[in-house]
Amino acid sequence: SKVKSVADLVGVATFGFRGEALPAIASVSRFTLTTSEGGAATELSVTGGRLDRVADGARQRGTTVAVRGIFFNTPARRKFLRSVSSETRAANEVVTTLALAHPEVGFELHVDGACRLVVPPGQTLEDRLAAVWGSTLAGTLVPVSHAAGAFRVTGFAQRPGDAQPTGRRTQLFVNGRPFKDPFLVRAAEAGYRSAIHPGDRPSLLLNIEVAPEDVDVNVHPAKLEVRFRDRIGVERVVEEAVRHSLGVLAAAVSVGDWRPAAMAQRGDHLAGPVVDGHDLFTPDAPPLDGEASVQPAPGFSVPLLQVFDTYIVYEAPEGVVIVDQHSAHERVLYELVMAQLTGADPPAQRLLLPLTLELTDEELDAVEAHAEELGRVGFEAEPFGGRAVAVHAVPSPHPKFDAEACFRETVADLARGRFGGWANRLERFAATYACRAAVKAGQRLDQREMRELLLRLFATDLPPHDVHGRSTIVQLPREELERRFGRR
Ligand SMILES: [Zn+2]
């Protein structure tokens, strides 16, 4: 190696160090550096910035930097170190972030002789995530891959059903470089809207690829923050990317310890193809969109089985799919109601004899406060003296619909603030109504009804998730079956 003096260290930048940092570190520590280009090795020792020794060393091609006794010669600086545990935590964060950024590089972290992290070189990002975040958390993630405009977003997002209020992990990269940005994390969370409890915080790892000239990485001294030229654009694409990833079957909770096949096989997600998940649901169905989706599609012809009058079961290419009929219908109605609340007129049915219902004061207030929304979904109600209301028209979302029960339950839920955590008033109303208007568990459905429900479900934005933060679809993957029966 050519390193003979401290000043030469600046040139070591090519080995992946920030040139100016090495001399700075060497000036406040007992520092040794061993480096070799494959032939003879050079070892130099620096103590508090003073070059002690340059000698021949022994090393294969590469460089080893050892830093001991940091700040030993600058007690004033040392006082600024925080507690051992918080410095350890900071070091741990630096190493894990680097480990996630570079699955191709091996890392080891030892603390007081105890090994905290060992990851071998040459890992896939999935395996690296499992090693760094733990396989339990990694097993709850689904791949993200989406490109729009100037941006491409890849990585992993947690299944909504597995998100918890605490203990989340988030990691953002732009062109492979780690950065922090709470607003982009919030944009990613917006992709979960209506699929998780408002308090749940999903784990995320996202890499944003963008042309270098569209992002400024030099706005922060420690390079922790970056500035995107198209701020609104990047937030929108991140939200879309997360939402897309949650709409596919792989985002449905699975029975057993199983990761989607696409995830296990596809080596490099950062370069993987964009997956369109809708065909995963339906064996040979034509693309589902808009009006076509509510017609019985000839392609989706697999036999459907209703079990316990509550779940619909069918065979898909990747496994057995189990759908909760209430959750599924709730998701369908939620998206329909959101459309009605913001536009199209509802299909209402005028009653020959109005329903007269006695309500509580709180419920009367709720009817008054939500008169507009109730009207939008098809309920026409007016005060009828005292605590009574007269309902003149009702919606008819399905043949088994009980208009009076739905009205009473929806109004009671609104009065009690049951979806209280939902920030948006229309979304809160839509979720409340959807839950109360949907077919219930325990109602017998015939083949045609089940098929229509599934087709409508697949046409929604987020088929696998209901509006309570629970699953609509549970899958028993074929791989899991084969594993259980010893076929693989
Ligand atoms: Zn419900």
Side-chain angles (χ1 to χ4, degrees), residues 326 330 435 468 470:
H326 169 73
E330 199 169 61
C435 179
H468 301 279
R470 295 184 307 226

Side-chain angles (χ1 to χ4, degrees), residues 51-186:
L51 182 62
D52 280 344
R53 202 169 68 99
V54 179
D56 291 342
R59 202 200 183 291
Q60 294 177 321
R61 183 180 153 79
T63 300
T64 304
V65 176
V67 177
R68 293 187 176 82
I70 192 153
F71 301 137
F72 81 97
N73 58 343
T74 50
R77 290 280 298 281
R78 204 153 122 197
K79 286 208 187 80
F80 280 95
L81 286 178
R82 289 163 296 166
S83 67
V84 170
S85 61
S86 74
E87 292 294 343
T88 304
R89 213 176 308 126
N92 186 66
E93 196 184 323
V94 169
V95 175
T96 52
T97 302
L98 282 172
L100 291 173
H102 297 285
E104 74 283 4
V105 178
F107 289 85
E108 290 187 24
L109 177 65
H110 300 268
V111 178
D112 294 333
C115 174
R116 291 286 181 89
L117 179 75
V118 179
V119 286
Q123 285 191 303
T124 61
L125 182 55
E126 296 75 359
D127 290 341
R128 181 57 58 91
L129 256 178
V132 174
W133 282 3
S135 52
T136 308
L137 176 53
T140 67
L141 305 176
V142 294
V144 174
S145 182
H146 178 66
F151 303 99
R152 179 177 163 78
V153 180
T154 54
F156 296 92
Q158 191 167 32
R159 280 190 208 104
D162 294 313
Q164 304 284 327
T166 58
R168 69 123 70 144
R169 313 286 295 258
T170 61
Q171 183 68 62
L172 299 176
F173 299 103
V174 57
N175 297 336
R177 170 199 290 269
F179 72 107
K180 292 196 185 299
D181 189 332
F183 294 101
L184 266 192
V185 171
R186 211 169 298 163

Side-chain angles (χ1 to χ4, degrees), residues 143-157 171-175 184 188 204-210 228 233-245 266 269-275:
V144 174
S145 182
H146 178 66
F151 303 99
R152 179 177 163 78
V153 180
T154 54
F156 296 92
Q171 183 68 62
L172 299 176
F173 299 103
V174 57
N175 297 336
L184 266 192
L204 298 156
L205 180 145
L206 299 175
N207 183 37
I208 297 149
E209 290 165 65
V210 60
F228 291 94
V234 70
E235 290 189 2
R236 197 192 58 237
V237 177
V238 163
E239 178 180 339
E240 279 173 15
V242 168
R243 206 164 180 83
H244 277 227
S245 74
R266 228 154 21 100
H269 277 282
L270 297 181
V274 175
V275 184

